[in-house]
Amino acid sequence: MPAFTFEKISPPARRAPAATTPKKPRGLISQMIDRIAERRARRTLQAERAMRRDEKPAE
C-alpha cells in the first residue's frame, strides 16, 4: 500500500474557441507573383485550346 497518492488534475475546460489572428494584408511581392502566375496559366490554357483546334481530325 502506497504511503501517499497523487490527485489527478484535469486540464481546464475551454470556454471559447481560440481567437483567430487577423489576416495580414498580402505583401506587394506576393501580389506581383500571383499576377504573373495567373497570366502564365491563362497563356498556357489558350495555347492548349489553340493546339486542340489545330488537331481536328480530317474527314
Side-chain angles (χ1 to χ4, degrees), residues 9-16:
I9 301 173
S10 59
R14 290 181 127 176
R15 294 185 186 141

Side-chain angles (χ1 to χ4, degrees), residues 31-54:
Q31 291 176 357
M32 290 173 60
I33 291 172
D34 286 344
R35 289 181 194 149
I36 292 169
E38 186 176 337
R39 288 178 185 152
R40 181 177 289 175
R42 285 183 187 166
R43 272 196 308 246
T44 56
L45 185 63
Q46 288 175 352
E48 287 176 2
R49 287 180 182 167
M51 285 177 23
R52 286 184 196 155
R53 273 188 269 137
D54 294 340

Side-chain angles (χ1 to χ4, degrees), residues 9-30:
I9 301 173
S10 59
R14 290 181 127 176
R15 294 185 186 141
T20 58
T21 58
K23 288 191 174 184
K24 292 169 45 175
R26 296 200 54 163
L28 181 63
I29 294 174
S30 298

